[in-house]
Amino acid sequence: MQRLAIRGDLLDLTDDPGFGAVESSAVRFDADIWLLVEDGRIAGRSRTDPGEGWTRIDHRGRLITPGFVDTHVHMPQLDVIASYGTELLDWLNTYTFPAETRYADPAVSRAGAERFSDALLAHGTTAAVVFPTVHAVSSDALFDAAAARGMRMITGKVLMDRHAPAGLTDDVAGAERDCTDGIARWHGRGRLAYAVTVRFAATSTPAQLAMAGELLAAHPGVYMQTHVAENRAEVAWIAELFPDARSYLDVYHRHGLLNGRAVLAHGIWLDDADRARLAATGAQIAHCPTSNLFLGSGLIGWRALEAAGAAVTLASDVGGGTSLSMLRTMAAAYQVQALQGVRLTAWKALHAATRGAAQALHLGHEIGSLDVGCTADLAVWDWAVGPVATHRDALARTLHERVFAWMTLGDERNLAQTFVAGTSRFERRTPECRDG
Ligand code: GUN
Ligand code: ZN
């Protein structure tokens, strides 16, 4: 039996803390304690050194959280992160679509999937819902890379049979074949799950959307991911393409794409009926604040979604988003709410990037917390890096103040080590000592 004990300050959320309260009974914080891991699962905690039978790693003075769950991110878009000067539709045509055509090459897909998976781990993210490209080789490469690292990954080849360049489109029959093959090959294998991946309503014909709905009906347990109501010009275009639909979200509903395993990125330009529909179906909104700010898309009404009973999780949306860091994502989410006069606590943000995301994906028994029995997907953080953050950390008077400063000032440079199922998959290199 593998027995691992990691010492540090343990932090996770036991429940949704809601908006507002900086004092919350949902916060579980245990300073300076050993987290016990047996055969890749969390087995308990110990105030004292568990002794010789355990491999002990001393991260005393560091923060240990569940590995982050990024509910919406694009594998090939590390190639276009930080591209200047456009809103969504121009950004897709100018930067993103040309970059994604290269992933038809299996060697490009393989290298991209490995670079991307390692990058997630180097940002403390151990589980993700990911868009590859339209090419089945890209999703195969991503599943392979995730399996090699033991990561919890949800992905599937992108469906797009119109309004995209040659080299980046499929057709209904070919897409159905690829998805059916992909589900048989990957879904439920280890920690992998398949997602029927509709890029967005503009790039799929009604026939392809209908096929996607039929696939979901035939394969309960398979996920669905797409984009919705991100940008105003996009919303207007969808209304032209689907004049009979009540709304953008309704396009997906009509085609049988909304259920408790649906992950829809953005959800900025929604109305009350849409929010009620999300709540009724259990579909979640993956909120992507750095992307929404960078592409000038808009400010999400998180509180209204929550009031309607819809799940909201946090996501990087790289390359529309500007960082894979879920710390930066949480800090940007705070700013998006601040612009609307709403206060997002560190607890609420952390919940949306961990247990909340896990639960919305029906994976709360496996990821997103430090509960006994969960898989030991863990991130170990320095509370502060550099003189300014270190100074601020030392002055923090409450736990919320400290965690909020960590989330606001921190990023991947704070990450010391990442564990996936109790195996170290990332460790920060310390600068080598130089002689004389
Ligand atoms: N909508 C359709 N495709 C994309 C994409 O790649 N990124 C973002 N942010 N929105 C999209
Ligand atoms: Zn996206």
Side-chain angles (χ1 to χ4, degrees), residues 74 77 88 91-92 96 100 199-200 227 230 234 266 291 295 317 320:
H74 297 255
Q77 294 182 13
L88 174 66
W91 176 82
L92 286 172
T96 310
E100 291 191 9
R199 182 171 209 125
F200 67 145
H227 297 87
E230 175 177 4
E234 172 211 20
H266 307 298
S291 172
L295 294 175
D317 192 32

Side-chain angles (χ1 to χ4, degrees), residues 73 77-78 80-83 91 123 288-295 315-325 328-329 332 412:
V73 56
Q77 294 182 13
L78 286 182
V80 295
I81 189 171
S83 291
W91 176 82
H123 287 74
C288 310
T290 73
S291 172
N292 299 163
L293 294 170
F294 183 72
L295 294 175
S316 68
D317 192 32
V318 162
T322 50
S323 172
L324 287 176
S325 165
R328 288 196 179 224
T329 301
E412 69 275 19

Side-chain angles (χ1 to χ4, degrees), residues 6 20 54 58 75 116 131 159 162 179 183 221 226 283 288 296 299 330 332 345 348 350 371-372 374 424:
I6 310 167
W54 297 75
D58 195 343
M75 179 269 276
F116 173 78
F131 269 61
L159 305 186
R162 63 169 170 173
C179 289
I183 291 166
T226 191
C288 310
L299 306 175
M330 292 192 288
T345 65
K348 179 75 177 162
L350 191 57
D371 286 352
V372 169
C374 278
S424 178

Side-chain angles (χ1 to χ4, degrees), residues 81-94:
I81 189 171
S83 291
Y84 172 78
T86 52
E87 285 203 4
L88 174 66
L89 299 176
D90 285 342
W91 176 82
L92 286 172
N93 288 319
T94 308

